[in-house]
């Protein structure tokens, strides 16, 4: 391609590219390679130049794809060997990056299909044959690339130095040819999306994580489960005390402390949150390790911040953060320990100055805020359900709730109560209006009412669970309950809530009576003192026992229908120096990432 080609426009007629893409074999010692691997124009790095490259090489690439299909498996193996065999140094950084990027490109035919691809030639080669023995080493290397977060080395530290006349194609391979020839060859187009600055800081870590997510979400082959998912499900801690052994051929060990630190630090991006979800959901070793950490706040706080800034996040990121909380709250030890962690000055929580609050109370505040946001904006039943499930899982372990958290629990119930009354009134008016006219169909207020009543019952069950299991630990909740006691009056005789209202009604009556005996004009401090004394005096057997509230996260059937488009939308939006034509994307809509 070399000295004879000084611009992209000359490439279609370049004799060396024609020979490369032809059917005639070329010896590895042929002088042809020296001529091919040099050129005098700068490697394209932006979408405009990449578009020119695509248009100039489309015929060459089609020919190359037709003639070289038999070499694809060998190329895939060579790319994987590059990733797992070459130590990560400044001089090898870009080679590793391009090997990872090229694998992403090979797998990206999925984005041009609306349906989930369950078979492809790349799929087949990665699941079987020569690539299979490298599975665990590839997953381990990609994880360590993510953990290390190595920044791109400064110029002048590459294996192949760029020459003053523009360098050779090997330099291009090491620094960006996947954004050109391979992108065009496989993707057939370019876009104009620049990569976010965050991903540019450590492109290898970002690209490795994206490739890992793509591999983990490949669909199972007809005769074997996805080996990359198997590897992710089974790896163990290098710091374990038991001898390492596994029946899983793809199992390996990794430093969990380093992994935990990286996960805590990187939660601002979707892909790191998705990795955390996968590990907690699929790898029991990781989940056990995380739940045993004494600094769990380092992981939980970034997740809460994602939910707090729900307006700025895409819905998928919010879902993943919420499901992570739900998985964590399945563990009673977690639910106890979060109330023992005291935090100072949560700067990102803007509604109120929180100079000191437990992690548990903060978690409650953020989840309730998410519910209220959802009620007024998105009205997503899935979001409601998971928020309430997390609160329900924690409710029996509520301890020393912050007064603001206790107030927000009752305030949410107040909001639900008002909404219930409003829908009930609309239904009544609609029914009256319909008596004189049969021209228009009635709105389905019954369905709306049913949904609201389900949420109200869940909130009553959460309050009841706290009162029956940890009344003496939560004077602030009893205070908030007494302060807003009139809210609960209408539900005492409601057939849907009578049973669950018994304990709440008993607590309200018991403590109201003690406050009346203490006289009028009581200070807040005096009221709390009476509540604490009353909590000791209230016979526990007077409160009716209900089944423990426990919810467990279960992936829906065919989870790939959600995760594969999500993963590829992340690749599209955050892969470094990879460009796709948005008009050709079929798998997801442009606003789904």
């Amino acid at each position: 391609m070399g000295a004879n080609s000084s611009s992209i426009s000359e490439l279609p007629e370049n004799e060396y590219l024609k020979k490369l893409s032809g059917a005639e074999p070329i010896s590895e010692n042929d002088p042809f390679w020296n001529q091919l691997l040099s050129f005098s124009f700068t490697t394209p790095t932006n979408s405009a130049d990449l578009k020119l490259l695509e248009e100039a090489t489309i015929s060459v690439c089609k020919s190359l794809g037709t003639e070289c299909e038999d070499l694809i498996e060998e190329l895939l193996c060579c790319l994987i060997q590059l990733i797992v065999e070459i130590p990560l140094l400044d001089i090898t950084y870009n080679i590793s990056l391009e090997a990872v990027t090229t694998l992403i490109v090979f797998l990206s035919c999925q984005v041009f299909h609306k349906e989930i691809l369950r078979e492809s030639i790349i799929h087949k080669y990665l699941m079987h044959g020569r690539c299979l023995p490298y599975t665990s080493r590839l997953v381990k290397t990609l994880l360590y690339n993510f953990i290390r977060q190595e920044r791109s080395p400064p110029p002048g530290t590459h294996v192949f130095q760029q020459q003053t006349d523009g360098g050779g194609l090997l330099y291009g391979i090491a620094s960006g040819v996947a954004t050109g020839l391979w992108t065009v060859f496989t993707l057939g187009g370019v876009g104009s999306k620049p990569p976010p600055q965050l991903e540019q800081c450590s492109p290898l870590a970002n690209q490795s994580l994206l490739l890992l997510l793509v591999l983990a979400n490949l669909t199972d082959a007809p005769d074997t489960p996805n080996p990359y998912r198997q590897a992710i499900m089974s790896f163990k801690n290098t710091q374990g005390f038991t001898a390492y052994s596994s029946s899983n051929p793809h199992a390996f060990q990794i430093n969990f402390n380093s992994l935990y630190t990286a996960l805590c630090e990187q939660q601002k991006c979707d892909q790191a949150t998705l990795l955390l979800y996968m590990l907690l959901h699929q790898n029991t070793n990781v989940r056990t390790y995380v739940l045993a950490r004494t600094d769990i706040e380092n992981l939980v706080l970034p997740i809460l911040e994602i939910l707090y800034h729900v307006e700025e996040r895409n819905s998928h990121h919010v879902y993943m953060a919420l499901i992570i909380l739900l998985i964590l709250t399945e563990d009673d030890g977690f639910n106890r320990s979060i109330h023992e962690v005291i935090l100072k000055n949560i700067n990102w929580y803007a509604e109120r100055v929180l100079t000191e609050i437990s992690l548990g109370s903060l978690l409650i505040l953020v989840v309730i805020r998410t519910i209220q946001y959802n009620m007024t904006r998105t009205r997503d039943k899935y979001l409601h359900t998971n928020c309430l499930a997390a609160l329900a899982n924690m409710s029996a372990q509520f301890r020393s709730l912050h007064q603001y958290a206790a107030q927000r629990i009752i305030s949410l119930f107040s909001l639900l109560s008002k909404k219930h009354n409003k829908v009930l009134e609309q239904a009544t008016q609609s029914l009256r209006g319909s008596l004189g006219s049969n021209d228009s169909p009635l709105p389905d207020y019954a369905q709306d009412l049913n949904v609201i009543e389900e949420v109200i019952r869940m909130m009553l069950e959460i309050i009841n669970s706290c009162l029956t299991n940890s009344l003496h630990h939560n004077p602030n909740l009893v205070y908030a309950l007494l302060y807003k006691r009139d809210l609960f009056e209408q539900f005492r005789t409601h057939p849907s809530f009578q049973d669950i209202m018994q304990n709440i009604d008993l607590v309200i009556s018991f403590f109201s009576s003690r406050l009346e005996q203490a006289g009028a004009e009581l200070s807040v401090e005096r009221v709390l003192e009476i509540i604490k004394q009353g909590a000791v005096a209230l016979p526990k057997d007077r409160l009716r026992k209900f089944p423990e509230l426990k919810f467990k996260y279960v992936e829906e059937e065919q989870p790939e229908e959600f995760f594969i488009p999500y993963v590829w939308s992340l690749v599209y939006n955050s892969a470094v120096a990879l460009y796709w034509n948005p008009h050709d994307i079929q798998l997801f809509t442009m606003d789904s990432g």
Side-chain angles (χ1 to χ4, degrees):
M1 185 162 58
N4 294 329
S5 290
S6 59
S7 70
I8 290 177
S9 61
E10 297 175 4
L11 294 181
E13 303 305 319
N14 185 279
E15 59 180 294
Y16 297 102
L17 282 182
K18 287 182 176 180
K19 185 173 182 180
L20 175 68
S21 60
E24 183 182 340
I26 307 171
S27 165
E28 62 184 42
N29 299 317
D30 195 307
F32 158 84
W33 297 107
N34 289 330
Q35 295 294 323
L36 175 71
L37 301 180
S38 81
F39 55 89
S40 56
F41 56 85
T42 305
T43 305
T45 56
N46 59 60
S47 58
D49 288 345
L50 285 166
K51 191 171 189 299
L52 291 175
L53 180 62
E54 174 196 7
E55 292 168 350
T57 58
I58 191 165
S59 59
V60 174
C61 290
K62 284 183 177 179
S63 176
L64 187 64
T66 303
E67 299 295 339
C68 299
E69 189 172 307
D70 293 342
L71 297 175
I72 288 179
E73 183 175 20
E74 184 172 347
L75 177 56
L76 289 174
C77 282
C78 288
L79 290 169
I80 293 172
Q81 287 171 343
L82 277 175
I83 296 168
V84 304
E85 301 283 2
I86 296 179
L88 185 58
L89 306 169
D90 279 359
I91 61 171
T92 61
Y93 187 97
N94 282 329
I95 291 179
S96 296
L97 174 59
E98 290 311 320
V100 170
T101 302
T102 306
L103 278 178
I104 291 175
V105 170
F106 268 118
L107 286 158
S108 64
C109 54
Q110 173 65 77
V111 300
F112 303 106
H113 296 267
K114 196 171 185 64
E115 72 283 358
I116 302 301
L117 295 182
R118 301 183 186 277
E119 291 184 44
S120 73
I121 188 168
I122 307 300
H123 199 153
K124 181 182 75 173
Y125 289 146
L126 288 173
M127 292 281 195
H128 300 91
R130 294 168 56 191
C131 295
L132 190 61
Y134 294 99
T135 297
S136 60
R137 292 178 66 193
L138 178 58
V139 171
K140 182 176 183 177
T141 303
L142 295 175
L143 273 173
Y144 268 125
N145 287 347
F146 165 71
I147 289 168
R148 293 172 68 175
Q149 291 291 316
E150 293 283 357
R151 289 176 174 266
S152 184
T157 54
H158 307 297
V159 172
F160 306 104
Q161 297 300 319
Q162 188 165 17
Q163 305 300 316
T164 55
D165 64 354
L169 187 62
L170 276 181
Y171 178 83
I173 290 175
S175 64
V177 78
T179 64
L181 195 62
W182 283 118
T183 304
V184 175
F185 172 47
T186 312
L187 302 179
V190 293
S192 57
K193 172 191 62 64
Q197 191 63 39
L198 183 66
E199 283 79 15
Q200 287 183 326
C201 295
S202 183
L204 179 61
N206 179 69
Q207 226 84 328
S208 294
L209 178 53
L210 292 172
L211 176 58
L212 182 64
L213 295 174
V214 169
L215 291 171
N217 285 281
L218 291 175
T219 55
D220 294 338
D223 55 345
T224 182
N226 178 344
Y228 304 96
R229 189 182 305 122
Q230 295 290 306
I232 286 173
M233 290 171 63
S234 58
F235 70 82
K236 297 183 178 181
N237 192 0
T238 54
Q239 298 173 318
F241 295 104
T242 55
Y244 176 69
S245 63
S246 176
S247 58
N248 185 337
H250 306 304
F252 60 91
Q253 288 180 291
I254 204 166
N255 187 307
F256 276 19
N257 183 59
S258 299
L259 176 61
Y260 180 80
T261 301
L263 288 168
C264 292
E265 292 174 350
Q266 300 300 322
Q267 284 308 307
K268 287 187 178 178
C269 68
D270 282 63
Q271 48 267 41
T273 305
L274 181 53
L275 175 64
L276 175 59
Y277 158 77
M278 282 170 45
L279 295 178
L280 288 175
H281 178 55
Q282 298 177 1
N283 190 313
T284 55
N285 303 314
V286 173
R287 184 165 65 250
T288 301
Y289 176 85
V290 167
L291 290 169
R293 292 285 302 207
T294 56
D295 60 348
I296 192 68
E297 68 272 16
N298 290 340
L299 187 69
V300 174
L301 281 172
I303 298 299
L304 293 183
E305 200 167 349
I306 293 168
L307 290 175
Y308 183 81
H309 295 293
V310 59
E311 303 95 335
E312 303 165 16
R313 305 289 180 179
N314 69 72
S315 61
H316 290 8
H317 199 185
V318 171
Y319 285 152
M320 290 299 102
L322 190 53
I323 292 168
I324 286 167
L325 287 185
L326 179 55
I327 291 171
L328 292 174
T329 61
E330 291 171 12
D331 182 77
D332 284 340
F334 171 84
N335 295 330
R336 283 191 298 271
S337 67
I338 55 176
H339 293 288
E340 298 166 2
V341 177
I342 304 301
L343 307 168
K344 307 277 189 181
N345 300 317
I346 308 301
N347 297 325
W348 48 263
Y349 194 94
E351 278 83 351
R352 179 163 171 159
V353 176
L354 300 175
T355 54
E356 185 173 290
I357 189 171
S358 71
L359 179 61
S361 287
L362 180 63
L363 198 160
I364 292 166
L365 284 175
V366 173
V367 171
I368 286 176
R369 185 181 183 275
T370 307
I371 293 173
Q372 290 180 322
Y373 173 83
N374 187 48
M375 284 177 63
T376 57
R377 305 284 184 86
T378 55
R379 299 182 181 180
D380 185 330
K381 186 177 180 181
Y382 182 83
L383 204 65
H384 258 9
T385 302
N386 285 286
C387 283
L388 291 167
L391 287 176
N393 283 347
M394 293 188 291
S395 59
Q397 307 289 342
F398 284 172
R399 294 289 187 277
S400 304
L401 291 184
H402 191 281
Q403 66 179 61
Y404 186 52
Q407 289 170 15
R408 298 313 296 163
I409 290 172
I410 305 304
S411 294
L412 175 58
F413 185 81
S414 174
L415 184 66
L416 290 165
S417 176
K418 290 175 183 175
K419 195 171 181 64
H420 178 267
N421 292 341
K422 182 179 179 181
V423 174
L424 196 59
E425 183 182 347
Q426 287 173 334
T428 304
Q429 290 177 351
S430 177
L431 190 62
R432 285 172 182 163
S434 68
L435 295 177
S437 172
N438 293 321
D439 295 339
S440 57
L442 286 173
D444 193 0
Y445 289 115
Q447 185 178 357
D448 290 347
L449 204 59
N450 183 53
V451 171
I452 295 169
E453 289 184 353
E454 283 180 9
V455 177
I456 287 174
R457 179 169 179 90
M458 181 73 96
M459 281 303 300
L460 288 172
E461 288 178 343
I462 289 166
I463 294 169
N464 178 71
S465 173
C466 177
L467 295 178
T468 54
N469 289 284
S470 53
L471 173 68
H472 56 294
H473 288 299
N474 292 290
N476 284 327
L477 182 62
V478 176
Y479 185 99
L481 199 63
L482 293 172
Y483 190 76
K484 293 284 188 178
R485 71 191 83 175
D486 293 345
L487 277 177
F488 299 87
E489 190 65 33
Q490 64 174 307
F491 299 106
R492 289 176 62 191
T493 56
H494 194 292
S496 298
F497 311 118
Q498 271 183 315
D499 59 335
I500 206 72
M501 276 298 301
Q502 288 179 21
N503 287 339
I504 296 172
D505 194 35
L506 174 65
V507 169
I508 290 174
S509 300
F510 178 83
F511 285 97
S512 295
S513 173
R514 293 181 75 91
L515 290 174
E516 287 170 8
Q517 292 171 18
E521 303 298 326
L522 299 173
S523 67
V524 173
E525 291 75 17
R526 178 59 181 148
V527 171
L528 285 171
E529 186 182 338
I530 293 170
I531 289 172
K532 290 174 184 177
Q533 292 168 353
V536 177
L538 178 63
K540 300 295 183 289
D541 57 2
R542 290 185 61 184
L543 295 174
R544 177 184 168 187
K545 288 291 182 184
F546 284 84
E548 186 179 12
L549 290 179
K550 274 297 173 189
F551 293 87
K552 187 176 178 62
Y553 170 71
V554 179
E555 270 189 357
E556 295 184 9
E557 290 185 16
Q558 297 183 312
E560 65 274 10
E561 299 289 341
F562 170 84
F563 285 104
I564 290 178
Y566 179 33
V567 168
W568 279 109
S569 73
L570 296 181
V571 176
Y572 175 84
N573 283 296
S574 58
V576 178
L578 274 178
Y579 299 89
W580 285 270
N581 186 338
H583 301 295
D584 292 336
I585 304 295
Q586 297 293 319
L587 183 63
F588 54 86
T589 56
M590 288 300 105
D591 60 353
S592 67

